[in-house]
mmCIF file of all heavy atoms in Angstrom:
data_model
loop_
_atom_site.group_PDB
_atom_site.id
_atom_site.type_symbol
_atom_site.label_atom_id
_atom_site.label_comp_id
_atom_site.label_asym_id
_atom_site.label_seq_id
_atom_site.Cartn_x
_atom_site.Cartn_y
_atom_site.Cartn_z
ATOM 1 N N GLU A 715 9.120 2.631 7.071
ATOM 2 C CA GLU A 715 8.101 3.375 6.329
ATOM 3 C C GLU A 715 8.534 3.675 4.903
ATOM 4 O O GLU A 715 7.705 3.686 3.988
ATOM 5 C CB GLU A 715 7.736 4.661 7.068
ATOM 6 C CG GLU A 715 6.880 4.423 8.302
ATOM 7 C CD GLU A 715 6.000 5.618 8.644
ATOM 8 O OE1 GLU A 715 6.139 6.677 7.991
ATOM 9 O OE2 GLU A 715 5.159 5.481 9.553
ATOM 10 N N ALA A 716 9.812 3.893 4.687
ATOM 11 C CA ALA A 716 10.278 4.145 3.325
ATOM 12 C C ALA A 716 10.046 2.919 2.452
ATOM 13 O O ALA A 716 9.616 3.035 1.296
ATOM 14 C CB ALA A 716 11.760 4.526 3.341
ATOM 15 N N ASP A 717 10.319 1.727 3.006
ATOM 16 C CA ASP A 717 10.059 0.494 2.264
ATOM 17 C C ASP A 717 8.575 0.314 2.000
ATOM 18 O O ASP A 717 8.171 -0.111 0.914
ATOM 19 C CB ASP A 717 10.590 -0.725 3.048
ATOM 20 C CG ASP A 717 12.078 -0.944 2.842
ATOM 21 O OD1 ASP A 717 12.665 -0.303 1.957
ATOM 22 O OD2 ASP A 717 12.647 -1.776 3.579
ATOM 23 N N ALA A 718 7.763 0.597 3.014
ATOM 24 C CA ALA A 718 6.322 0.426 2.872
ATOM 25 C C ALA A 718 5.775 1.345 1.778
ATOM 26 O O ALA A 718 4.987 0.918 0.925
ATOM 27 C CB ALA A 718 5.625 0.714 4.202
ATOM 28 N N ILE A 719 6.189 2.591 1.790
ATOM 29 C CA ILE A 719 5.727 3.539 0.774
ATOM 30 C C ILE A 719 6.221 3.117 -0.601
ATOM 31 O O ILE A 719 5.479 3.168 -1.601
ATOM 32 C CB ILE A 719 6.184 4.964 1.130
ATOM 33 C CG1 ILE A 719 5.383 5.475 2.343
ATOM 34 C CG2 ILE A 719 6.018 5.918 -0.056
ATOM 35 C CD1 ILE A 719 5.847 6.799 2.898
ATOM 36 N N ALA A 720 7.467 2.650 -0.676
ATOM 37 C CA ALA A 720 8.003 2.183 -1.954
ATOM 38 C C ALA A 720 7.235 0.971 -2.465
ATOM 39 O O ALA A 720 7.030 0.810 -3.680
ATOM 40 C CB ALA A 720 9.488 1.846 -1.810
ATOM 41 N N THR A 721 6.783 0.111 -1.544
ATOM 42 C CA THR A 721 6.007 -1.071 -1.931
ATOM 43 C C THR A 721 4.681 -0.672 -2.550
ATOM 44 O O THR A 721 4.264 -1.201 -3.588
ATOM 45 C CB THR A 721 5.769 -1.973 -0.702
ATOM 46 O OG1 THR A 721 7.031 -2.395 -0.180
ATOM 47 C CG2 THR A 721 4.937 -3.195 -1.070
ATOM 48 N N ILE A 722 3.999 0.271 -1.923
ATOM 49 C CA ILE A 722 2.721 0.750 -2.458
ATOM 50 C C ILE A 722 2.922 1.362 -3.835
ATOM 51 O O ILE A 722 2.167 1.085 -4.784
ATOM 52 C CB ILE A 722 2.090 1.768 -1.493
ATOM 53 C CG1 ILE A 722 1.680 1.069 -0.180
ATOM 54 C CG2 ILE A 722 0.883 2.460 -2.135
ATOM 55 C CD1 ILE A 722 1.241 2.018 0.919
ATOM 56 N N ARG A 723 3.947 2.152 -3.985
ATOM 57 C CA ARG A 723 4.181 2.808 -5.270
ATOM 58 C C ARG A 723 4.616 1.817 -6.342
ATOM 59 O O ARG A 723 4.234 1.947 -7.515
ATOM 60 C CB ARG A 723 5.218 3.921 -5.090
ATOM 61 C CG ARG A 723 4.671 5.078 -4.257
ATOM 62 C CD ARG A 723 5.699 6.153 -4.014
ATOM 63 N NE ARG A 723 5.115 7.285 -3.287
ATOM 64 C CZ ARG A 723 5.802 8.330 -2.839
ATOM 65 N NH1 ARG A 723 7.122 8.388 -3.047
ATOM 66 N NH2 ARG A 723 5.189 9.312 -2.194
ATOM 67 N N THR A 724 5.402 0.814 -5.964
ATOM 68 C CA THR A 724 5.805 -0.225 -6.920
ATOM 69 C C THR A 724 4.577 -0.960 -7.441
ATOM 70 O O THR A 724 4.451 -1.233 -8.642
ATOM 71 C CB THR A 724 6.772 -1.220 -6.259
ATOM 72 O OG1 THR A 724 7.978 -0.547 -5.886
ATOM 73 C CG2 THR A 724 7.115 -2.371 -7.204
ATOM 74 N N ALA A 725 3.661 -1.289 -6.531
ATOM 75 C CA ALA A 725 2.436 -1.994 -6.931
ATOM 76 C C ALA A 725 1.608 -1.145 -7.888
ATOM 77 O O ALA A 725 1.162 -1.612 -8.943
ATOM 78 C CB ALA A 725 1.618 -2.355 -5.692
ATOM 79 N N LEU A 726 1.397 0.110 -7.557
ATOM 80 C CA LEU A 726 0.587 0.985 -8.399
ATOM 81 C C LEU A 726 1.231 1.192 -9.771
ATOM 82 O O LEU A 726 0.548 1.181 -10.802
ATOM 83 C CB LEU A 726 0.370 2.323 -7.702
ATOM 84 C CG LEU A 726 -0.534 2.285 -6.451
ATOM 85 C CD1 LEU A 726 -0.464 3.615 -5.718
ATOM 86 C CD2 LEU A 726 -1.969 1.963 -6.830
ATOM 87 N N ASP A 727 2.541 1.367 -9.794
ATOM 88 C CA ASP A 727 3.233 1.572 -11.064
ATOM 89 C C ASP A 727 3.127 0.341 -11.967
ATOM 90 O O ASP A 727 3.153 0.452 -13.195
ATOM 91 C CB ASP A 727 4.711 1.899 -10.824
ATOM 92 C CG ASP A 727 4.917 3.291 -10.231
ATOM 93 O OD1 ASP A 727 3.982 4.113 -10.296
ATOM 94 O OD2 ASP A 727 6.019 3.547 -9.700
ATOM 95 N N ALA A 728 2.980 -0.849 -11.343
ATOM 96 C CA ALA A 728 2.898 -2.094 -12.109
ATOM 97 C C ALA A 728 1.470 -2.436 -12.516
ATOM 98 O O ALA A 728 1.247 -3.439 -13.196
ATOM 99 C CB ALA A 728 3.485 -3.242 -11.292
ATOM 100 N N GLY A 729 0.499 -1.631 -12.091
ATOM 101 C CA GLY A 729 -0.890 -1.887 -12.450
ATOM 102 C C GLY A 729 -1.707 -2.572 -11.385
ATOM 103 O O GLY A 729 -2.865 -2.932 -11.619
ATOM 104 N N VAL A 730 -1.121 -2.787 -10.200
ATOM 105 C CA VAL A 730 -1.873 -3.346 -9.072
ATOM 106 C C VAL A 730 -2.534 -2.175 -8.363
ATOM 107 O O VAL A 730 -1.882 -1.424 -7.640
ATOM 108 C CB VAL A 730 -0.947 -4.107 -8.099
ATOM 109 C CG1 VAL A 730 -1.735 -4.588 -6.889
ATOM 110 C CG2 VAL A 730 -0.278 -5.267 -8.805
ATOM 111 N N THR A 731 -3.819 -2.010 -8.562
ATOM 112 C CA THR A 731 -4.485 -0.798 -8.081
ATOM 113 C C THR A 731 -5.279 -0.983 -6.788
ATOM 114 O O THR A 731 -5.591 -0.010 -6.113
ATOM 115 C CB THR A 731 -5.441 -0.256 -9.159
ATOM 116 O OG1 THR A 731 -6.378 -1.272 -9.516
ATOM 117 C CG2 THR A 731 -4.656 0.171 -10.396
ATOM 118 N N LEU A 732 -5.633 -2.230 -6.449
ATOM 119 C CA LEU A 732 -6.471 -2.465 -5.272
ATOM 120 C C LEU A 732 -5.598 -2.572 -4.022
ATOM 121 O O LEU A 732 -4.773 -3.485 -3.895
ATOM 122 C CB LEU A 732 -7.289 -3.741 -5.453
ATOM 123 C CG LEU A 732 -8.308 -4.060 -4.337
ATOM 124 C CD1 LEU A 732 -9.338 -2.937 -4.204
ATOM 125 C CD2 LEU A 732 -9.012 -5.399 -4.617
ATOM 126 N N LEU A 733 -5.775 -1.637 -3.104
ATOM 127 C CA LEU A 733 -5.038 -1.611 -1.837
ATOM 128 C C LEU A 733 -6.002 -1.949 -0.708
ATOM 129 O O LEU A 733 -7.040 -1.309 -0.566
ATOM 130 C CB LEU A 733 -4.427 -0.228 -1.595
ATOM 131 C CG LEU A 733 -3.557 0.368 -2.701
ATOM 132 C CD1 LEU A 733 -3.039 1.737 -2.284
ATOM 133 C CD2 LEU A 733 -2.404 -0.565 -3.049
ATOM 134 N N ASP A 734 -5.647 -2.948 0.088
ATOM 135 C CA ASP A 734 -6.526 -3.373 1.178
ATOM 136 C C ASP A 734 -5.984 -2.887 2.517
ATOM 137 O O ASP A 734 -4.820 -3.124 2.858
ATOM 138 C CB ASP A 734 -6.637 -4.902 1.204
ATOM 139 C CG ASP A 734 -7.582 -5.366 2.297
ATOM 140 O OD1 ASP A 734 -8.807 -5.219 2.117
ATOM 141 O OD2 ASP A 734 -7.108 -5.848 3.341
ATOM 142 N N THR A 735 -6.845 -2.225 3.279
ATOM 143 C CA THR A 735 -6.451 -1.702 4.578
ATOM 144 C C THR A 735 -7.623 -1.836 5.544
ATOM 145 O O THR A 735 -8.669 -2.411 5.224
ATOM 146 C CB THR A 735 -6.001 -0.229 4.466
ATOM 147 O OG1 THR A 735 -5.521 0.224 5.742
ATOM 148 C CG2 THR A 735 -7.140 0.680 4.007
ATOM 149 N N ALA A 736 -7.462 -1.330 6.757
ATOM 150 C CA ALA A 736 -8.526 -1.316 7.770
ATOM 151 C C ALA A 736 -8.247 -0.177 8.734
ATOM 152 O O ALA A 736 -7.084 0.183 8.958
ATOM 153 C CB ALA A 736 -8.572 -2.642 8.532
ATOM 154 N N ASP A 737 -9.300 0.363 9.312
ATOM 155 C CA ASP A 737 -9.089 1.485 10.223
ATOM 156 C C ASP A 737 -8.368 1.072 11.497
ATOM 157 O O ASP A 737 -7.785 1.904 12.194
ATOM 158 C CB ASP A 737 -10.413 2.193 10.541
ATOM 159 C CG ASP A 737 -11.458 1.299 11.183
ATOM 160 O OD1 ASP A 737 -11.145 0.171 11.604
ATOM 161 O OD2 ASP A 737 -12.636 1.734 11.255
ATOM 162 N N PHE A 738 -8.366 -0.234 11.802
ATOM 163 C CA PHE A 738 -7.699 -0.706 13.017
ATOM 164 C C PHE A 738 -6.289 -1.232 12.762
ATOM 165 O O PHE A 738 -5.616 -1.668 13.685
ATOM 166 C CB PHE A 738 -8.546 -1.792 13.702
ATOM 167 C CG PHE A 738 -9.011 -2.888 12.791
ATOM 168 C CD1 PHE A 738 -8.211 -3.996 12.526
ATOM 169 C CD2 PHE A 738 -10.264 -2.821 12.202
ATOM 170 C CE1 PHE A 738 -8.641 -4.998 11.690
ATOM 171 C CE2 PHE A 738 -10.714 -3.841 11.355
ATOM 172 C CZ PHE A 738 -9.901 -4.927 11.099
ATOM 173 N N TYR A 739 -5.808 -1.207 11.526
ATOM 174 C CA TYR A 739 -4.420 -1.571 11.250
ATOM 175 C C TYR A 739 -3.520 -0.453 11.786
ATOM 176 O O TYR A 739 -3.497 0.658 11.244
ATOM 177 C CB TYR A 739 -4.166 -1.737 9.759
ATOM 178 C CG TYR A 739 -4.776 -2.954 9.115
ATOM 179 C CD1 TYR A 739 -4.828 -3.071 7.729
ATOM 180 C CD2 TYR A 739 -5.304 -4.003 9.877
ATOM 181 C CE1 TYR A 739 -5.378 -4.184 7.121
ATOM 182 C CE2 TYR A 739 -5.866 -5.110 9.276
ATOM 183 C CZ TYR A 739 -5.900 -5.200 7.894
ATOM 184 O OH TYR A 739 -6.457 -6.303 7.281
ATOM 185 N N GLY A 740 -2.802 -0.763 12.852
ATOM 186 C CA GLY A 740 -1.983 0.270 13.472
ATOM 187 C C GLY A 740 -2.811 1.380 14.086
ATOM 188 O O GLY A 740 -2.312 2.472 14.331
#
């Protein structure tokens, strides 16, 4: 989870703003 959260934050900090998810993921 630490890696996953860091990945999301790395993307946002770099200007990648669109995050794709689904209610059935996990």
Side-chain angles (χ1 to χ4, degrees):
E715 286 207 354
D717 278 349
I719 289 173
T721 300
I722 293 171
R723 291 177 176 174
T724 296
L726 291 170
D727 289 343
V730 176
T731 57
L732 185 60
L733 307 180
D734 182 74
T735 184
D737 59 12
F738 49 86
Y739 289 168

